[in-house]
Amino acid sequence: MRNNQIGIFLSLLSWVMLATSAVADVSMDNATSKLKIKGRFGAGVFQSGTLGTDPFGSFQIPEGKVMMSYQVDDVNTVVLRFNANSSGVVGAAPANNFLDFMYLDSKLPFGIDSRLGRFKVQYGEETLYNNIVESSVIGNSVSGLSGNDEGVQLSGKLSDALKWNVSATNGNRGVVADNNGLKAYSGKISYQLDALYLSGSYYQSGGLTAVSTSEMSFAGNTGSLVGGASNWDRSMAELDVRFDFGRGKVANPPAFTDSVGYVWLAYGNIADTDVSTAKVSAIYGFVEGLYNLTPQIFSAARYSQVD
């Protein structure tokens, strides 16, 4: 078994060395043109009802991100994103939240792009902008699906309208290495037909334990929905449909749409299954709408539910 592990590691190492073989020849001339830095920031006073999260009012920084990317050559780009929001500052737990992800993007033959490292798992559409700055409303849906994980991702397109994405990741949270032989895998396919956008996503966590919970959170919960589960897995599927009225120049942007407005529906299912055949599943979904009153002012609303 150890020889197999060594063989797999050497294969991955060879791939990375091949992808980055030009690093030694990179000149630092015009380095600033290769380095890009961007970020987003959102802060305020948050007040909820008596049964909410902030019944007394609270000054918070729910969103603070800094992303840096460095184009090594025409093939490879290194990307890092730092987290400085309320959950990632010094003293908050877990402390390793300060670094959201770090990965190597590479352009492969046949128009395929690869991503190696720790990255955001491409599942659904809300995960692309689940923050107070880019979202059309100030909060996420009730399901609030999100997750970053270590692994490899491949993506490409079959046509200008039809795109695909697959990944294999560790799947477990709270440990620095995978502690189970079963990897997580995910897949997503999307289709853009003028003002209509469709996407379907699937995720399977692989084997998880009571110690290593899921990297993909559901309603803020990374642990099993099955109480006391010690050997379990999480599977999810989601369908998204969005229609833009008076579609703008950018199709299906994650934020600040220049369309007149849009209607977006999401419907999904999650199931946590324990080895003892105990299973807990839930159906989730939401409907969201936005209308641009002026180029600078918009009105938006969302209704979400979990059953």
Side-chain angles (χ1 to χ4, degrees), residues 41-306:
F41 172 77
V45 181
F46 294 83
Q47 176 76 50
S48 69
T50 55
L51 299 179
T53 56
D54 300 296
F56 306 108
S58 175
F59 293 97
Q60 293 188 28
I61 309 171
E63 187 65 14
K65 308 287 186 182
V66 177
M67 177 180 286
M68 297 188 297
S69 64
Y70 184 78
Q71 184 180 352
V72 179
D73 50 34
D74 293 337
V75 175
N76 304 288
T77 300
V78 178
V79 179
L80 299 90
R81 193 179 79 176
F82 299 96
N83 177 17
N85 63 26
S86 299
S87 65
V89 295
V90 176
N96 60 2
N97 273 358
F98 184 69
L99 181 64
D100 279 341
F101 44 66
M102 178 174 63
Y103 55 79
L104 172 70
D105 273 346
S106 301
K107 298 178 181 179
L108 304 181
F110 309 109
I112 297 176
D113 296 322
S114 71
R115 180 165 292 178
L116 182 65
R118 179 171 176 83
F119 48 81
K120 175 175 287 190
V121 178
Q122 297 293 304
Y123 177 87
E125 300 298 329
E126 186 184 11
T127 56
L128 300 178
Y129 72 103
N130 55 351
N131 62 83
I132 194 173
V133 177
E134 295 180 313
S135 176
S136 62
V137 293
I138 63 172
N140 298 327
S141 66
V142 176
S143 55
L145 291 160
S146 182
N148 302 328
D149 203 357
E150 303 83 15
V152 59
Q153 172 185 286
L154 298 176
S155 60
K157 59 183 182 179
L158 302 178
S159 67
D160 289 338
L162 188 59
K163 300 179 181 180
W164 59 269
N165 179 294
V166 294
S167 70
T169 56
N170 285 336
N172 54 343
R173 181 182 177 87
V175 292
V176 295
D178 197 356
N179 61 0
N180 194 304
L182 299 176
K183 294 292 183 282
Y185 59 88
S186 67
K188 179 179 177 181
I189 188 166
S190 63
Y191 184 70
Q192 181 80 53
L193 179 62
D194 194 22
L196 179 65
Y197 175 83
L198 305 170
S199 74
S201 307
Y202 181 77
Y203 176 84
Q204 223 293 332
S205 68
L208 298 170
T209 67
V211 177
S212 58
T213 52
S214 175
E215 280 284 13
M216 285 296 290
S217 65
F218 177 76
N221 183 11
T222 58
S224 174
L225 301 179
V226 180
S230 59
N231 191 353
W232 61 287
D233 65 75
R234 169 167 291 174
S235 60
M236 305 184 301
E238 180 174 317
L239 175 66
D240 288 82
V241 181
R242 170 171 164 159
F243 185 83
D244 282 54
F245 300 95
R247 190 189 122 184
K249 296 180 180 180
V250 181
N252 191 35
F256 309 118
T257 178
D258 58 350
S259 299
V260 174
Y262 68 75
V263 174
W264 171 24
L265 297 95
Y267 178 85
N269 176 269
I270 178 173
D272 286 358
T273 305
D274 185 65
V275 70
S276 64
T277 70
K279 181 178 180 179
V280 175
S281 61
I283 295 174
Y284 65 91
F286 62 84
V287 56
E288 178 178 310
L290 179 145
Y291 180 74
N292 278 313
L293 302 172
T294 73
Q296 292 80 29
I297 301 174
F298 69 86
S299 176
R302 178 197 296 137
Y303 174 80
S304 61
Q305 186 170 334
V306 174

